[in-house]
Amino acid sequence: MDAVIVGVLLAAAESPGVLLGPLQLLAGGAGSGLFAIDGRVRQPGRGVPRPRGFLPDEQVPEASRIGVPCLPAALAAAAGLMGSMTLRGAARRAVEWARARHPERVSVLESVARRGARAMVDDPLAAELTAVAGRASGGLLTREDLESVRPVVVRCAERGLGPPGVLAAPWIGSENHDASWTHIVAASDGRGLMAIACYESKNEGLAISGLGVVAPLYAAPVMRAKTRVAPGTARPAAAPIAFRLRKSQVDAALGLAAAADAEEVLRALLASADPMSNLGEILRSASIGFPVGVALTQGTPRVIASA
């Protein structure tokens, strides 16, 4: 878990759109149980009345599409659940990386390292976020949104996985989401513990120049005469990650990165009688443009297919 957290934070140090985007994570094995953490962006609008909404032919401002970031809170939950180091310790390399290459992001990363989930509530980040995405700018983001955001932590029962023994994110439905901006980081150790996370690196959105980050566009704007998406609702994001269990042990983790149809390919794979047994062949024949499969078997990472 420490390695995965470090990896995500290093990605946030390098790419401006990661920190305010979604994070989804699977972890467990070796008698510790199985967990899934939902750190997707949440719909904003807590504590404010429903706006009139935009008309179909009306220009919708980008501010109305800025959601509530949950990634820092999800990292804090992951560290508390299975980590062996503090979030501050895990962020040390990310801060060093940013200081050498992207010094404008150092202050916000240091805030996340010190405060974890509360970093989104602290000035100057909270003030900057509510300024660019609050009601005055045509958005819905409020300080109450930032104060109340919490990741969902699900304890997953092995007996509910069925004969193939495959665990995917329990909140995903039947719809496939574009995973073109999705990236994967996974790790295992000699004790049989594994963790795999997916995050997104969308650099299109509202730039918060003073902090060197970009607020990606995940929220749903309120449209006239249409039902409003309830504040606090997790916004859709691709989750092309899975575990395979054999005899109560997690023996493989799979993530498909940077591919529009990654979830479609993953669903087809998980529907097979023996998922991951012919993983390399499936990935090589897949229609996705940039497949990356990583299997972690008995603590040894092995790249199965990449392009």
Side-chain angles (χ1 to χ4, degrees):
M1 183 66 83
D2 296 337
V4 167
I5 293 172
V6 169
V8 173
L9 286 170
L10 277 166
E14 175 59 26
S15 176
V18 171
L19 189 67
L20 304 183
L23 175 70
Q24 300 171 81
L25 189 147
L26 303 175
S32 67
L34 299 170
F35 297 91
I37 300 177
D38 181 1
R40 290 175 293 175
V41 175
R42 271 34 178 194
Q43 179 72 11
R46 290 184 184 274
V48 295
R50 184 194 192 281
R52 293 183 63 195
F54 300 102
L55 294 170
D57 58 350
E58 193 174 359
Q59 184 175 1
V60 178
E62 288 187 335
S64 67
R65 300 183 186 275
I66 303 301
V68 190
C70 192
L71 184 145
L75 288 179
L81 187 68
M82 286 184 62
S84 64
M85 63 194 306
T86 65
L87 198 57
R88 188 166 190 170
R92 185 173 297 114
R93 294 178 185 175
V95 171
E96 291 173 355
W97 182 279
R99 185 170 285 118
R101 296 168 177 82
H102 306 286
E104 68 278 7
R105 280 197 278 285
V106 170
S107 63
V108 67
L109 287 169
E110 287 181 334
S111 180
V112 170
R114 290 193 309 269
R115 305 275 288 168
R118 295 293 300 176
M120 294 293 105
V121 187
D122 294 342
D123 290 328
L125 186 55
E128 293 282 357
L129 281 172
T130 52
V132 300
R135 299 191 72 186
S137 301
L140 289 173
L141 188 66
T142 67
R143 184 172 286 272
E144 186 175 338
D145 286 322
L146 298 173
E147 291 174 344
S148 62
V149 67
R150 298 288 186 277
V152 175
V153 179
V154 180
R155 188 178 183 96
C156 306
E158 181 183 346
R159 61 179 178 272
L161 301 182
V166 174
L167 172 66
W171 48 83
I172 62 173
S174 58
E175 182 181 358
N176 292 317
H177 303 103
D178 188 350
S180 298
W181 301 274
T182 301
H183 298 270
I184 309 293
V185 57
S188 67
D189 65 14
R191 298 175 297 162
L193 294 175
M194 287 196 188
I196 184 169
C198 60
Y199 62 90
E200 295 189 6
S201 182
K202 283 186 178 179
N203 295 332
E204 295 181 358
L206 280 178
I208 304 177
S209 57
L211 300 176
V213 295
V214 170
L217 311 180
Y218 288 98
V222 179
M223 304 303 293
R224 192 85 55 89
K226 290 190 176 182
T227 303
R228 172 190 185 182
V229 176
T233 302
R235 299 300 301 147
I241 53 176
F243 274 170
R244 182 180 68 183
L245 276 77
R246 291 285 177 87
K247 298 179 180 180
S248 299
Q249 297 292 323
V250 179
D251 74 339
L254 170 68
L256 303 179
D261 57 350
E263 282 194 327
E264 182 180 350
V265 173
L266 184 66
R267 289 179 198 282
L269 176 63
L270 300 187
S272 63
D274 188 11
M276 304 191 195
S277 62
N278 58 341
L279 179 59
E281 179 183 347
I282 290 174
L283 287 175
R284 283 189 291 271
S285 63
S287 62
I288 54 181
F290 188 72
V292 176
V294 178
L296 300 160
T297 304
Q298 297 179 349
T300 303
R302 181 163 60 96
V303 176
I304 291 181
S306 65

